[in-house]
Amino acid sequence: MSISINNKSLEIQSILFSHHFQRNKSLFGGEIGQALYFSIMGNLLEKEQYIDKSIDLFSSLLEYYNNNNYNEAKTNSFFTYCSGLSGLGVSLNYLVKKKYIDFEINDFNSNLQDILYEKAIYDLDKNNYDFLHGAIGIGLYLLETDFQKENVEELVHALNKIKISDDENNIHWREFNKHGENNYVVNLSISHGISSIIIFLCRVYEKGICQDICEELARKCVNYLISKKQNVFDYGHYFPNIIMDNQPKGGQLSWCYGEMGVGFALRKYAILFKSPEIEKLAFSIFSYNANKTMIDITRPLDAGICHGSAGLMMMFNRLSLEYNNEIFRNATKYWYQYTIDFAKFENGVAGYMAYNGNSKKFEDKIYGLLDGVMGIDLALKTFEHNANQDWDSLFLIS
């Protein structure tokens, strides 16, 4: 590793160590993510001051949430995976199970069970299944605790209630009002769409809950996805981002949207239910996209995890670990180098700027886990140290 690369990472860590997120408590954009980051980095780099920083942040976060009446919270984000209690809960449970931090969280988990269950049911009644901002993210947190089985069962039944069947008896879920009430949208993505539902159903099945329903829903949803597969040579990708009014729209190479997330959902299903044909399709998606470079990408690409190069590095590194395949190692190395080289903005955060979709410029200074330098550095250091990347389970790819 060159001195310049190491200095860049140290610069990011120094910036984040002193950065205050003000009122942003979120996992993917704020203080929860900062606490998670310093716990993982402290253990990876054997830096006790980072672990202490993480503990201080988590202690402050628990005090903040304990001082708020959960039942009187006014905003949806207070509870979500991306921005609220579910994100805090899943982070703490992950770190305690890894023995990265020593925290007593049983009371915290117990106090949240009924509150978050009720919020998830409310969201599903509104058709808001969204992983990052709705019921699926809450459900994934509940699965990480000593959960009340009946609560998870009711979530599965609520999902079953709002499913939509097509003429071929495949099923999907309509997107929650993101593209306007007049448009009928089925989102295929892992961040906001039905790929995350498939992964959730598989994880519930693995816990031995509602196995018959979970298998049926997952199978029929996978069949729906497969029915939307396109000719890759005509479209440049196997799957679109969304289906709007029964027409495929978009297609990109990223974590948040695009067929890589579909591939991880298909692979999860295929391994769990022993379907070689579906696993073969997932591998085809992965290997086709592993050969892509910036020449093949027509959209602006920043370095973040969400829709940038660190997310590509994270996904291909996961596949390299799973398949021990040279094509995925080479793809990881390619996007690693792109991520390093992207630290080129004089006024950026350690040289990094995120893309602003409104101005169409790289001009946003973002510090967080999903779009900012926190996620960038975590992905870089994990790869550089040849470390176990199991934190990517928080992004549903393992």
Side-chain angles (χ1 to χ4, degrees), residues 342-362:
F342 199 77
K344 59 187 179 182
F345 298 93
E346 183 177 347
N347 296 322
V349 183
Y352 287 101
M353 285 285 200
Y355 184 71
N356 185 303
N358 293 320
S359 68
K360 310 298 182 186
K361 296 179 181 179
F362 295 101

Side-chain angles (χ1 to χ4, degrees), residues 221-236:
C221 190
V222 164
N223 288 340
Y224 174 85
L225 279 177
I226 292 173
S227 75
K228 302 304 177 184
K229 184 168 74 73
Q230 303 173 139
N231 186 319
V232 69
F233 299 107
D234 291 338
Y235 289 88

Side-chain angles (χ1 to χ4, degrees), residues 11-55:
E11 183 183 357
I12 293 173
Q13 291 160 35
S14 176
I15 290 169
L16 291 173
F17 196 87
S18 59
H19 184 71
H20 297 285
F21 279 97
Q22 304 300 331
R23 289 178 291 181
N24 189 338
K25 306 295 182 185
S26 72
L27 168 59
F28 280 158
E31 200 169 299
I32 299 171
Q34 187 180 26
L36 175 75
Y37 165 84
F38 276 112
S39 182
I40 296 173
M41 294 295 282
N43 282 273
L44 177 64
L45 304 177
E46 299 181 346
K47 290 192 174 184
E48 197 66 33
Q49 69 269 35
Y50 287 180
I51 297 173
D52 291 342
K53 174 74 169 179
S54 172
I55 291 171

Side-chain angles (χ1 to χ4, degrees), residues 16 19-37 61 65 77 80-84 87-88 91 132-133 305-306 365-375 395:
L16 291 173
H19 184 71
H20 297 285
F21 279 97
Q22 304 300 331
R23 289 178 291 181
N24 189 338
K25 306 295 182 185
S26 72
L27 168 59
F28 280 158
E31 200 169 299
I32 299 171
Q34 187 180 26
L36 175 75
Y37 165 84
L61 285 160
Y65 281 106
S77 63
T80 65
Y81 192 102
C82 179
S83 303
L88 176 59
S91 301
L132 295 184
H133 308 299
I305 282 182
C306 185
K365 296 182 179 181
I366 301 182
Y367 297 84
L369 190 62
L370 187 61
D371 294 294
V373 294
M374 198 183 299
F395 293 86

